Amino acid sequence: GAVVSQHPSWVICKSGTSVKIECRSLDFQATTMFWYRQFPKQSLMLMATSNEGSKATYEQGVEKDKFLINHASLTLSTLTVTSAHPEDSSFYICSASGRSGGDTQYFGPGTRLTVL
Amino acid sequence: AQTVTQSQPEMSVQEAETVTLSCTYDTSESDYYLFWYKQPPSRQMILVIRQEAYKQQNATENRFSVNFQKAAKSFSLKISDSQLGDAAMYFCAYGQNFVFGPGTRLSVLP
């Protein structure tokens, strides 16, 4: 149980385009979803937290107009990187927590974004 | 703000031996959760073990156990009978807002 999928697993795009990453909880209802960014050989950096039907809460220093987060249902959250630039290239990971799991977060497999 | 420290950037252990990874944290809360996650080369984050602060009993999951010292704000992970598949980055995390430590890279030597 507690499986989270993420799509796509990797994406390459041109500078200036937008990219959407989907995060789905497959076998539980995710009341809260989280988006992280991980640079090579570093820890996870929380970007934002979203609750179903509410606006996302962004961490300090994260541009909410660049990283659009939508949590439309209890099983789906999306992260859209708008007008992507090479410095946005990174590994993006989503996680989800649900009522039954308490505070435990279950992670997706991640998406590697490369902006040319 | 909460902080999480892992003082060992890298550790190694011989296969079948025991290794302990350290984690300390800082918080003013009295009720919280602590986690250890494993990130193998695939980069999939995998929950290893979870501890609720109000429980005095140390959590155990098969070969993995923790030594939770609430007063000292210490939360170490012990891996017994280490296996080659245990090689990974290990992150200690403080919940609810999930502050992650910098990680410890564990190598398992055959």
Side-chain angles (χ1 to χ4, degrees):
Chain A
V3 178
V4 176
S5 70
Q6 202 171 326
H7 179 80
S9 55
W10 59 270
V11 57
I12 301 173
C13 69
K14 292 183 178 180
S15 186
T17 61
S18 295
V19 174
K20 180 184 285 188
I21 302 169
E22 290 188 351
C23 177
R24 294 181 184 272
S25 57
L26 299 184
D27 52 2
F28 68 103
Q29 292 186 326
T31 52
T32 308
M33 286 186 163
F34 306 82
W35 288 94
Y36 294 86
R37 186 171 179 177
Q38 186 178 33
F39 292 103
K41 298 186 178 181
Q42 292 190 23
S43 189
L44 280 69
M45 181 189 76
L46 180 65
M47 298 174 65
T49 303
S50 70
N51 293 296
E52 184 262 340
S54 303
K55 287 185 178 181
T57 301
Y58 291 81
E59 295 298 302
Q60 192 172 8
V62 178
E63 299 176 60
K64 59 181 67 175
D65 293 331
K66 168 170 270 301
F67 299 100
L68 302 180
I69 292 171
N70 183 273
H71 191 163
S73 74
L74 284 172
T75 59
L76 174 64
S77 176
T78 60
L79 167 68
T80 301
V81 183
T82 62
S83 185
H85 291 286
E87 59 265 30
D88 299 324
S89 298
S90 191
F91 192 67
Y92 293 88
I93 308 175
C94 74
S95 70
S97 65
R99 297 184 185 95
S100 61
D103 276 358
T104 302
Q105 290 187 23
Y106 298 95
F107 286 80
T111 296
R112 179 175 299 284
L113 170 64
T114 301
V115 184
L116 302 177
Chain B
Q2 293 86 4
T3 58
V4 178
T5 301
Q6 293 178 251
S7 60
Q8 306 150 317
E10 295 184 358
M11 291 280 286
S12 62
V13 62
Q14 208 71 35
E15 195 175 4
E17 297 295 310
T18 297
V19 65
T20 299
L21 308 184
S22 301
C23 172
T24 58
Y25 58 95
D26 186 27
T27 184
S28 58
E29 303 290 327
S30 59
D31 193 16
Y32 48 87
Y33 294 91
L34 293 163
F35 304 85
W36 278 98
Y37 282 87
K38 165 185 175 181
Q39 188 179 42
S42 68
R43 303 192 77 171
Q44 169 75 61
M45 294 286 284
I46 301 167
L47 176 67
V48 175
I49 202 163
R50 171 180 183 249
Q51 175 79 43
E52 297 165 37
Y54 69 87
K55 290 186 177 180
Q56 292 186 342
Q57 187 173 5
N58 290 323
T60 299
E61 288 288 341
N62 300 314
R63 299 182 294 108
F64 299 88
S65 61
V66 299
N67 183 1
F68 174 47
Q69 302 289 329
K70 190 174 183 179
K73 297 179 182 176
S74 170
F75 182 60
S76 61
L77 173 70
K78 185 172 82 171
I79 306 174
S80 303
D81 186 25
S82 297
Q83 301 175 359
L84 294 177
D86 294 334
M89 281 291 289
Y90 285 81
F91 293 100
C92 177
Y94 173 94
Q96 299 172 336
N97 54 342
F98 264 69
V99 177
F100 280 88
T104 296
R105 180 172 300 281
L106 177 66
S107 300
V108 180
L109 308 174

